[in-house]
Amino acid sequence: MSTISVSHLKKYYQVLKKEPGLAGGIKSFLKREYQEIKAVDDLSFKIKEGELVGFIGPNGAGKTTTLKCLSGLLYPTKGQVRVLGFDPWQKKTQFLKQISLVMGQKNQLWWDLPAIDTFSLNKEIYEIPDQEYQQTLNELTYLLEIKDLLKTPVRKLSLGERMKCELVVALLHSPKILFLDEPTIGLDVMMQKKMRDFIRLYNERKKATIILTSHYMGDVKELCQRVIIIDQGRLVFDGKLEKIIKKYAVNKVISVILAKEIDYQELDKIGKIKDFNYPKLSFVVKRGKVATVTAKILKNLPVTDLSIEEPAIEEVIRKLFANKDYIDSELNSE
Amino acid sequence: MIKYLFIIRNTFEEYFIYRINFLFWRLRNILGLLTGYFFIKVVFGQEKILYGYDLEKILTYIFSVSVLRAVIFSSRVADLAGVIQTGDLTNLLLKPISTLRYYFSRDLADKVLNISFSLLELGVIIYLLKPPFFLQKNLFSLILFIFSAGLALLLYFFINFLLSLIGFWTPEVWAPQFLFGILLNFFSGGLIPLDVLPKPVQFVFQVTPFPYLLFNPMTVYLGKSSLLTALGMILISLVWIGIFYFLVRRVWQKGLLIYQAEGR
């Protein structure tokens, strides 16, 4: 049975349209014009208990809007959403006690107070028993290394420290469903790694269902086996991450380390050069021609090492969004 | 209910962080009290009675209204409009907590703080200036006064909550809130007792909910209302509270339907 089920979800907004400049401002003051934005347009998917799903798409694709519908913040224009058997919009206490939404750009901690004050307030809001609260708090603050920061006012914390505290406050009630919207935004690479490790650990230990949106493909690559890609509010892909490469990467990369310098013109006869910086050389080759080109390289060039690689996932996704290859094509693989 | 006590606790803590702000805020209140006192002294001059008030009762009105205003008009719920606009309401909607009770708890913290300091400041001013001050000794009148002030507190909360819900529809909430604040102060009797105004004007004011916030409770304290009138005012206050509670519920539900959780 699915923990999350989204069926033909639509969320349209009315957005005020305004021409630039003072004249546009006056015109807009006298006569308001609105434009309909299809933030989510006929989206359907299901997520099973314990899955950690990456939710990706370009800016304005509808990722955050979908998460807001799943957590009951937005009223869907059409379609049906069920989370843990609840209609999120109803905001039933039993539903709210089992979910959490973490937004990387905003915080729910009381800004002027130490984080521990927000934690103790949430303990009461979620009616967490004393012993359970103490145990969870100890565990989370230990894992995230913030034990010494609990009595410092939130406004004095660094972004990374604050994000860790945000995670603690979101997880104190041990939610079964966790919506993470850009949880590593603005963090340095070390902190991103720590966050990822923690999210993976939480997923494994608590068997929690997690949906993660991120612009950092590193987050998705490391954490999610399954990804859902949306663009312009519509589903583009739903399946295993490696399938994206097979589906959308038409080329492979053959990388070579040369033993000695060669005539550059010789290379053009072999294939399309991606990069050449002696002794490193790489070719971009159509999937079907990999064997032929490899044979040519080995026969004609002084090679000390050779490897055949899939293109980087970041590159595939970037091209996918840039070229909109998926439009008018068969979309879903699963 | 414990969760709401924790909200009150956190709100208290917030106030004491910004000590300079706190001190200046109290200083503003003291200056307001002193201005009212000297203004009335000048207006009265050698007169014994003006508009049906002697100096003792008018000064009692001015001083007591300042305390009452501190209790009833002190409010954090005005922040709600901004909270809706910035999308920070999301934090509350995601939790198993009532937004209405959350803000009422914040308001209560504000009021406890206000009443404590206002009484203290008033005590100091009365001790130093020794103005004539009317003390209501009739226990029944005192109980009716406290009860009607309690209802005024609730009524103000719901009116203000309703006004803040404009934030769902427009970002331009500052102007209506500002205008409302000015009108409210006058219509409720915060500036002058309403019974000094011409009768037709008083009648118009009395069909609005505003006199039930300050003026009517004050007339109970000063013994200017008969028992029957006081009970009638309490009854009408309850009706107004019911109307505004109903409106808050309806408008809140309508607002949530179009809430966009912006800024995230």
Side-chain angles (χ1 to χ4, degrees), chain A residues 3-4 51 53 64 66-73 83-84 86 88 92-104 106-109 118-119 122-123 125-126 128 136 140 163-183 198-199 202 206 208-213, chain B residues 90-96 264:
Chain A
T3 299
I4 297 174
E51 272 194 281
V53 178
T64 306
T66 307
L67 290 194
K68 286 173 185 169
C69 288
L70 291 176
S71 52
L73 289 171
V83 178
L84 291 163
F86 291 94
K92 299 271 186 211
T93 300
Q94 274 316 307
F95 166 72
L96 294 172
K97 279 186 172 181
Q98 296 183 77
I99 67 149
S100 212
L101 171 67
V102 179
M103 303 273 194
K106 280 208 172 182
N107 66 70
Q108 59 163 315
L109 296 159
T118 310
F119 298 163
N122 270 29
K123 173 191 175 292
I125 289 175
Y126 289 96
I128 308 165
T136 313
L140 292 173
M163 271 313 295
K164 286 177 173 181
C165 292
E166 283 293 333
L167 260 188
V168 174
V169 81
L171 298 177
L172 272 176
H173 60 290
S174 305
K176 283 186 184 167
I177 309 264
L178 191 54
F179 302 114
L180 298 172
D181 191 19
E182 306 278 355
F198 179 78
I199 292 165
Y202 186 79
K206 304 276 182 180
T209 309
I210 301 178
I211 300 186
L212 167 87
T213 80
Chain B
T90 296
N91 282 335
L92 290 172
L93 295 179
L94 287 170
K95 292 189 176 85
R264 285 177 176 247

Side-chain angles (χ1 to χ4, degrees), chain A residues 186-251:
Chain A
L187 302 184
D188 63 39
V189 283
M190 284 291 292
M191 204 60 85
Q192 283 180 22
K193 172 88 174 64
K194 279 184 184 169
M195 282 294 217
R196 284 175 199 153
D197 291 345
F198 179 78
I199 292 165
R200 186 188 300 111
L201 194 69
Y202 186 79
N203 171 247
E204 286 167 5
R205 276 197 188 178
K206 304 276 182 180
K207 304 281 173 251
T209 309
I210 301 178
I211 300 186
L212 167 87
T213 80
S214 181
H215 280 111
Y216 299 124
M217 279 309 295
D219 291 348
V220 180
K221 251 190 333 190
E222 273 196 36
L223 293 170
C224 313
Q225 287 196 328
R226 177 184 167 194
V227 290
I228 294 174
I229 302 179
I230 62 168
D231 191 10
Q232 294 168 11
R234 301 183 76 104
L235 188 72
V236 168
F237 176 88
D238 181 357
K240 289 196 186 308
L241 192 61
E242 58 265 26
K243 277 202 172 178
I244 301 175
I245 298 171
K246 283 185 186 144
K247 193 171 173 69
Y248 294 107
V250 286
N251 300 320

Side-chain angles (χ1 to χ4, degrees), chain A residues 27-45:
Chain A
K27 195 178 156 198
S28 167
F29 180 77
L30 296 170
K31 191 183 176 203
R32 302 251 149 158
E33 279 182 39
Y34 292 89
Q35 185 185 5
E36 190 173 68
I37 301 289
K38 295 179 177 179
V40 177
D41 195 17
D42 202 23
L43 190 63
S44 300
F45 60 85

Side-chain angles (χ1 to χ4, degrees), chain B residues 194-207:
Chain B
L194 297 181
D195 54 0
V196 305
L197 297 169
K199 287 274 180 207
V201 179
Q202 280 185 52
F203 176 77
V204 172
F205 279 26
Q206 284 293 345
V207 294

